[in-house]
Amino acid sequence: MGACCSIGVHKFEGFMMNFEDDEKGSEVENEDYIKNGDCEARLQGSSKFVSMFTKQGRKGINQDAMTVWQNFTGEKDMFFCGVFDGHGPLGHKVARHVRDILPSKLSSSYKHSQTNGFNGSDDTDEENKNNNDNGNCHNPFLSSWKATLIKSFKEMDEDLSAESTIDSFCSGTTAVALLKQGDHLVTANLGDSRAVLCTRGNNNKLVSVQLTVDLKPNLELEAERIKKCEGRVFAMDEEPDVFRVWMPDEDCPGLAMARAFGDFCLKDFGLISTPEISYRKLTNRDEFVVLATDGVRKT
């Protein structure tokens, strides 16, 4: 199974998703929209500049979730997109819970930081210092969002651990999120879902650029952290190319990623919910971005 969300990026001025016009000619029901003040969110379907699609695979229930927010944080040209790939017995509930709660947390935290003049640019936390900002550490847009993303992801995981209606001890979800305003693009990645940019290269041909790194347990820094926390990383004989995270004394749960929301059975053994954050300044050669779960590229 897989889910993907694509959003156009090359029209910086007047970049709007016309939900009202789209809704008139769409079969999508009203419950697929959320309105919070000036913000509007889409949970499925498409509009003039956004397309969302998910398909159930052969493993059982579809555990993917996604959302797109227009006028995010109340700013007219701010967009938030997120794709979440659940795993484990209740992964579908975890993914949908994060989809429904994380955007509001981000928005509230961002507004609070702007009001108090805090941008978090001096953050030197060990888990965050390896984030890929491509030398843009003094970029105001990145600075204003980086600390907000890290803080909100941490709070989201804490809330999930306290959520009595969802047992996320052995269930969790990935998250790949995008924030766009004007020609600024910030991505936050947790797990192995991907953000891929379609741009125009030589001879005006379309070229794909992967904006995120699959945070697998066998990556050097990820494996180092997990082993330092007494977690184990190895691949099973029947899947020699799939490295997984295991508890110190038990061959479970075998999680195939190094970062995720939930999965609290591994949180003491190196699994973290800190996103890897990257920035890109868009140009008129950039066409659109696709956010997708790993099920899309495996099919």
Side-chain angles (χ1 to χ4, degrees), residues 7-37:
I7 179 169
V9 298
H10 65 290
K11 293 188 177 180
F12 302 144
E13 300 298 329
F15 176 71
M16 297 290 289
M17 294 181 291
N18 194 329
F19 285 91
E20 293 181 357
D21 291 345
D22 191 61
E23 190 174 358
K24 293 175 183 177
S26 172
E27 296 180 358
V28 178
E29 298 295 331
N30 289 339
E31 57 262 28
D32 293 315
Y33 296 92
I34 298 172
K35 188 170 178 64
N36 183 2

Side-chain angles (χ1 to χ4, degrees), residues 24-131:
K24 293 175 183 177
S26 172
E27 296 180 358
V28 178
E29 298 295 331
N30 289 339
E31 57 262 28
D32 293 315
Y33 296 92
I34 298 172
K35 188 170 178 64
N36 183 2
D38 293 331
C39 301
E40 294 185 43
R42 177 181 288 279
L43 304 182
Q44 69 174 35
S46 61
S47 66
K48 189 173 182 180
F49 294 108
V50 174
S51 178
M52 307 170 75
F53 179 78
T54 184
K55 183 178 181 180
Q56 182 174 340
R58 290 175 289 182
K59 292 183 178 179
I61 190 170
N62 190 340
Q63 295 189 305
D64 301 327
M66 51 191 164
T67 187
V68 175
W69 285 74
Q70 174 189 6
N71 299 336
F72 192 58
T73 70
E75 299 183 29
K76 286 291 185 181
D77 61 343
M78 181 80 76
F79 293 88
F80 170 84
C81 307
V83 168
F84 313 94
D85 183 6
H87 51 260
L90 297 178
H92 57 295
K93 291 188 176 183
V94 177
R96 292 168 189 170
H97 183 71
V98 173
R99 174 200 65 189
D100 294 342
I101 303 299
L102 181 61
S104 296
K105 282 190 172 296
L106 281 168
S107 181
S108 297
S109 181
Y110 177 78
K111 291 176 182 177
H112 179 76
S113 69
Q114 296 302 294
T115 301
N116 291 275
F118 172 70
N119 61 27
S121 58
D122 294 328
D123 192 346
T124 57
D125 187 277
E126 183 72 21
E127 293 176 355
N128 308 331
K129 67 181 182 180
N130 294 312
N131 275 315

Side-chain angles (χ1 to χ4, degrees), residues 175-223:
V176 59
L178 171 155
L179 288 154
K180 178 193 176 293
Q181 186 174 40
D183 57 358
H184 299 293
L185 186 72
V186 169
T187 56
N189 182 38
L190 196 69
D192 59 0
S193 295
R194 287 184 185 177
V196 179
L197 172 73
C198 179
T199 188
R200 293 195 177 273
N202 296 332
N203 301 320
N204 209 36
K205 291 184 178 180
L206 293 177
V207 179
S208 63
V209 178
Q210 189 169 330
L211 300 177
T212 55
V213 174
D214 297 343
L215 296 170
K216 294 293 190 179
N218 58 319
L219 293 181
E220 183 178 357
L221 291 177
E222 304 297 310

Side-chain angles (χ1 to χ4, degrees), residues 147-267:
T148 295
L149 285 160
I150 292 170
K151 176 176 180 289
S152 298
F153 272 56
K154 179 181 180 181
E155 290 179 350
M156 181 72 249
D157 207 42
E158 291 172 349
D159 284 5
L160 185 60
S161 69
E163 178 55 57
S164 60
T165 63
I166 303 175
D167 183 356
S168 51
F169 188 70
C170 291
S171 297
T173 185
T174 70
V176 59
L178 171 155
L179 288 154
K180 178 193 176 293
Q181 186 174 40
D183 57 358
H184 299 293
L185 186 72
V186 169
T187 56
N189 182 38
L190 196 69
D192 59 0
S193 295
R194 287 184 185 177
V196 179
L197 172 73
C198 179
T199 188
R200 293 195 177 273
N202 296 332
N203 301 320
N204 209 36
K205 291 184 178 180
L206 293 177
V207 179
S208 63
V209 178
Q210 189 169 330
L211 300 177
T212 55
V213 174
D214 297 343
L215 296 170
K216 294 293 190 179
N218 58 319
L219 293 181
E220 183 178 357
L221 291 177
E222 304 297 310
E224 182 180 307
R225 182 189 67 249
I226 293 167
K227 292 175 182 178
K228 188 180 294 185
C229 295
E230 299 185 356
R232 295 181 297 155
V233 176
F234 65 86
M236 296 183 293
D237 292 340
E238 57 268 32
E239 295 179 304
D241 297 325
V242 182
F243 287 83
R244 300 178 181 273
V245 186
W246 309 85
M247 296 177 70
D249 302 316
E250 298 181 61
D251 288 344
C252 66
L255 187 64
M257 63 203 69
R259 306 189 191 194
F261 286 121
D263 298 300
F264 293 103
C265 63
L266 289 172
K267 282 289 159 68

